[in-house]
């Protein structure tokens, strides 16, 4: 059971010794995490129960809609607190894991902001999480550097680094290596608490933080939860109320119907909303899992300019600009293709077109996954957005009806699409179990959201008996048995590529089993990373 918020904090028990833990998990820092858990643990448990109950109602036939009880908030004339000067210009943000070398490269990339990601881009082994927190401390102290013994290269943070923003793990995730009262602490409170305790005052003193991205919120009650966490934490740390600023990722379908309410709950602490589009596609499938009318085609045909994704992006801009905060565009996951000039230029052209669409819609900035893409995206925003942002450009002419946020994309489900989903899900999850959260696959930098989409689509297609266009012509319904045959063919392909030793060292058997079980479960599992996390801890 969660801890009683009125009881005095119990001391945390750390189950695993990893490098850097003495520096990060000081008694004072752990005491701060314990205070957060004691204060908010029961609330968090209640919010997760509310998520499950809302999903049960949707499974029974109810569809997401705007909330009648919050109409006055949606229709009211109000704005959030002003965005601080350090966050006024966010035209290009780069995201990546909290790996030391990758953090330095991202900080030096020329992007305005770097999101250090403890969530989908980091495989949350305890060693990775603690190393990431140690890296934040070194960033605070100006000692974040790296000498690579394999290449002889040295990495140092340059004189004008990107602004650091931290993304803690989602509210649904535990940190199984730290127990309080015999129960795992919240991974979200753990990541947030350690980073704020160690770095919050120093960042506030320079006006460069502490800033956060909040992932996977589903309702305005969860935004209220974070607002109360911020208020409590600022009081404990001696920071002025409103010092913490957060950008909320709108990456779940339920949250798309509560954007105004989310901003309202965080109005003293919010800096913007972001289109977390890959997780949003996954959430669309998961939320509407029992509704055959909302089956999606191959992932490649689910494009931002169409159907529910276009309506969602338009609503992000409309709400943000009405409330005086940033509307941040989505991730361009393409990466450079070394040694293939034509393929490389095609990747850059896709990024350029994506950013032109975003800046034309009114977005104030965008995400990229690789340093080489920063100048590509920046050139687009520089040409179309001479000021620091477009917040003063309203988009109130867009009327977004609930049906528009639910409209499915049209297209075909193909055998190639099925095989690709199997390949991407297994490859990513095997890499994740090996400790890597950001993985290049087929010239794209993928994170956990891609694996979630891939396995959720497989489940959806089996659940609703979707017809699959075969490569040799004709159609066939996707079944668990056929999926098993295709999974076996993928395993053979991996064995041919890596050999038996590479296959077993790479955890491909475990990855294939987890994907197969998730895709054929009676009920679509909420997150594939939850069962995978147990195995990751066993392997760590």
């Amino acid at each position: 059971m969660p801890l009683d918020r009125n009881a005095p904090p119990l001391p945390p028990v750390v189950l695993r010794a990893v490098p850097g833990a003495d520096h990060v998990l000081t008694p004072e820092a752990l005491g701060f995490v314990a205070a957060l858990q004691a204060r908010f643990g029961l609330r968090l448990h209640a919010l997760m129960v509310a998520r499950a109950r809302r999903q049960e109602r949707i499974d029974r036939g109810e569809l997401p809609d705007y909330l009648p009880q919050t109409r006055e908030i949606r229709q009211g004339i109000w704005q959030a607190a002003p965005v601080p000067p350090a966050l006024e210009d966010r035209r290009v943000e780069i995201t990546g894991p909290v790996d030391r070398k990758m953090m330095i490269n991202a900080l030096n990339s020329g992007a305005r902001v770097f999101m250090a990601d403890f969530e989908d881009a980091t495989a949350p082994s305890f060693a990775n999480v603690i190393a990431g927190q140690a890296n934040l401390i070194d960033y605070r102290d100006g000692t974040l550097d790296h000498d690579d013994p394999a290449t002889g290269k040295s990495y140092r943070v340059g004189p004008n680094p990107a602004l650091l923003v931290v993304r803690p793990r989602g509210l649904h995730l535990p940190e199984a290596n730290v127990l309080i009262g015999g129960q795992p602490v919240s991974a979200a409170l753990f990541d947030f608490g350690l980073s704020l305790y160690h770095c919050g005052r120093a960042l506030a003193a320079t006006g460069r933080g502490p800033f956060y991205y909040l992932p996977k919120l589903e309702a305005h009650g969860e935004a209220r939860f974070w607002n109360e966490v911020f208020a409590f934490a600022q009081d404990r740390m001696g920071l002025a109320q409103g010092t913490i600023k957060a950008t909320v990722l709108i990456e779940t379908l339920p949250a798309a119907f509560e954007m105004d309410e989310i901003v309202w709950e965080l109005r003293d602490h919010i800096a913007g909303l972001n289109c977390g589009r890959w997780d949003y596609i996954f959430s669309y499938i998961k939320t509407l899992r029992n509704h055959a009318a909302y089956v999606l085609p191959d992932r490649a045909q689910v494009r931002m300019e169409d159907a529910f994704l276009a309506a969602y992006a338009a609503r992000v801009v409309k709400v943000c600009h009405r409330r005086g905060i940033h509307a941040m565009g989505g991730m361009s996951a393409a990466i450079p293709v070394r040694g293939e000039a034509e393929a490389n230029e095609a990747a850059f052209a896709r990024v350029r077109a994506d950013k032109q669409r975003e800046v034309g819609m009114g977005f104030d900035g965008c995400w990229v996954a690789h340093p080489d893409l920063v100048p590509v995206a920046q050139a687009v925003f520089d040409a179309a957005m001479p000021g620091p942002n477009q917040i003063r450009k309203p988009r109130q002419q867009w009327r977004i009806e609930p049906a528009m946020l639910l409209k499915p994309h049209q297209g075909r489900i193909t055998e190639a699409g099925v095989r690709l989903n199997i390949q991407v899900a297994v490859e990513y999850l095997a890499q994740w179990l090996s400790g890597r959260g950001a993985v290049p696959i087929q010239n794209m930098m993928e994170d956990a959201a891609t694996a979630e989409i891939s396995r959720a689509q497989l489940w959806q297609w089996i659940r609703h008996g979707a017809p699959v266009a075969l490569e040799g012509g004709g159609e066939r319904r996707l079944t668990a048995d056929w999926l098993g045959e295709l999974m076996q063919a993928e395993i053979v392909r991996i064995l041919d590529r890596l050999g038996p030793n590479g296959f077993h060292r790479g955890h491909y058997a475990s990855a294939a089993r987890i994907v197969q079980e998730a895709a054929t479960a009676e009920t679509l599992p909420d997150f594939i990373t939850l069962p995978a996390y147990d195995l990751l801890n066993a392997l760590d």
Side-chain angles (χ1 to χ4, degrees):
M1 290 293 294
L3 296 179
D4 181 353
R5 63 181 293 177
N6 296 314
L10 297 172
V13 176
V14 180
L15 301 182
R16 192 184 300 269
V18 295
D22 291 345
H23 191 39
V24 172
L25 300 178
T26 63
E28 297 80 8
L30 284 173
F32 185 62
V33 171
L36 291 171
Q37 185 72 31
R39 177 81 174 185
F40 297 103
L42 275 174
R43 283 277 310 283
L44 181 52
H45 177 72
L47 288 170
M48 296 304 100
V49 171
R51 279 189 184 183
R53 289 177 177 169
R54 180 176 56 251
Q55 185 60 55
E56 288 169 2
R57 293 194 299 271
I58 295 172
D59 286 345
R60 292 195 300 266
E62 181 179 304
L63 289 175
D65 201 348
Y66 299 137
L67 302 176
Q69 65 269 30
T70 57
R71 183 178 291 110
E72 289 186 4
I73 292 175
R74 289 195 302 279
Q75 295 178 352
I77 300 173
W78 54 269
Q79 289 199 332
V83 173
L87 281 170
E88 283 184 348
D89 192 330
R90 308 171 62 178
R91 65 189 60 217
V92 181
E93 300 187 347
I94 189 169
T95 76
V98 290
D99 168 83
R100 195 171 184 87
K101 185 176 78 172
M102 294 183 76
M103 283 183 66
I104 297 170
N105 285 340
L107 289 164
N108 292 338
S109 67
R112 299 300 174 98
V113 172
F114 163 51
M115 187 191 77
D117 189 11
F118 284 88
E119 207 225 5
D120 276 1
T122 293
S125 69
F126 201 48
N128 282 350
V129 170
I130 297 303
Q133 292 286 349
N135 292 340
L136 294 182
I137 294 171
D138 287 347
Y139 168 84
R140 175 200 71 188
D141 295 339
T143 57
L144 184 63
D145 52 38
H146 176 66
D147 296 314
D148 190 336
T151 64
K153 292 183 178 180
S154 295
Y155 299 82
R156 304 289 185 271
V157 177
N160 296 300
L163 182 72
L164 180 72
V165 178
V166 173
R167 178 162 72 167
R169 283 170 284 176
L171 294 175
H172 63 287
L173 291 167
E175 176 43 71
N177 297 287
V178 180
L179 305 183
I180 301 179
Q183 298 296 318
V185 303
S186 158
L189 295 178
F190 184 78
D191 296 345
F192 164 75
L194 288 178
S195 64
L196 185 73
Y197 181 84
H198 288 299
C199 304
R201 292 192 188 99
L203 292 171
T206 62
R208 292 178 63 81
F211 302 141
Y212 291 91
Y213 261 104
L214 301 181
K216 295 182 175 56
L217 270 62
E218 294 193 8
H220 69 281
E222 297 174 15
R224 184 185 307 135
F225 170 87
W226 270 116
N227 196 71
E228 292 178 9
V229 169
F230 292 163
F232 176 83
Q234 286 166 151
D235 185 60
R236 282 293 184 99
M237 294 295 298
L239 298 173
Q241 291 298 320
T243 300
I244 294 172
K245 293 296 180 182
T247 302
V248 174
L249 289 123
I250 303 298
E251 54 185 351
T252 68
L253 182 62
F257 290 86
E258 300 185 32
M259 291 186 202
D260 282 294
E261 295 90 332
I262 287 170
V263 177
W264 171 259
E265 296 293 350
L266 280 159
R267 59 192 179 276
D268 293 329
H269 294 106
I270 197 160
L273 302 178
N274 174 283
C275 281
R277 60 197 190 193
W278 305 122
D279 270 296
Y280 191 76
I281 296 169
F282 163 57
S283 176
Y284 181 95
I285 298 167
K286 181 173 67 170
T287 304
L288 302 174
R289 61 195 182 188
N290 275 13
H291 298 258
Y294 299 99
V295 173
L296 296 182
D298 284 359
R299 180 161 57 98
Q301 299 175 50
V302 183
R303 295 180 289 267
M304 282 301 299
E305 59 268 28
D306 299 324
F308 75 90
L309 286 177
Y312 142 78
R315 186 155 201 261
V316 168
V317 175
K318 177 178 179 177
V319 169
C320 286
H321 287 187
R322 188 178 187 197
R323 306 310 179 189
I325 59 175
H326 286 85
M328 299 302 299
M331 166 67 76
S332 287
I335 56 177
V337 185
R338 306 298 185 192
E340 298 182 34
E342 187 174 336
N344 191 60
E345 180 49 41
F348 279 31
R350 288 194 300 272
V351 172
R352 199 173 292 112
D354 185 48
K355 300 316 168 192
Q356 287 170 343
R357 176 189 57 80
E358 288 181 331
V359 76
M361 289 186 72
F363 281 98
D364 303 290
C366 64
W367 276 14
V368 297
H370 193 281
D372 286 359
L373 295 175
V374 171
V376 178
Q378 182 155 322
V380 172
F381 273 81
D382 286 350
M385 192 178 78
N389 53 63
Q390 304 188 82
I391 292 174
R392 293 185 179 275
K393 289 186 178 181
R395 289 292 188 273
Q396 301 314 304
Q397 73 275 20
W398 292 335
R399 183 175 177 85
I400 312 297
E401 301 291 348
M404 298 167 66
L405 291 168
L406 297 174
K407 183 180 180 181
H409 289 66
Q410 301 301 307
R412 295 198 312 161
I413 302 166
T414 68
E415 183 179 349
V418 174
R419 291 181 184 276
L420 180 62
N421 278 353
I422 294 170
Q423 178 185 345
V424 169
V426 171
E427 181 64 33
Y428 178 82
L429 196 56
Q431 297 282 345
W432 194 88
L433 292 171
S434 299
R436 293 177 286 276
V439 181
I441 302 175
Q442 296 192 4
N443 301 325
M444 302 285 282
M445 187 64 75
E446 307 287 16
D447 67 10
T450 308
E452 295 284 27
I453 295 171
S454 298
R455 62 91 180 179
Q457 282 202 306
L458 294 171
W459 184 94
Q460 184 186 54
W461 296 339
I462 292 173
R463 169 72 170 77
H464 296 292
V468 178
L470 300 176
E471 293 174 353
E475 289 184 344
R476 180 178 178 181
R477 303 279 176 178
L478 184 60
T479 64
D481 288 342
W482 187 25
L483 179 66
E485 294 172 15
L486 295 173
M487 183 68 74
Q488 189 65 22
E490 176 62 16
I491 289 171
V492 170
R493 190 187 70 82
I494 297 169
L495 278 166
D496 289 343
R497 176 167 58 92
L498 299 178
N501 289 338
F503 179 85
H504 290 294
R505 284 198 307 269
H507 307 300
Y508 285 94
S510 296
R513 173 181 56 79
I514 292 171
V515 172
Q516 179 83 9
E517 290 176 354
T520 57
E522 182 176 349
T523 301
L524 178 66
D526 282 343
F527 295 96
I528 200 173
T529 47
L530 288 173
Y533 180 58
D534 294 335
L535 181 55
L536 181 70
N537 270 309
L539 295 170
D540 188 18

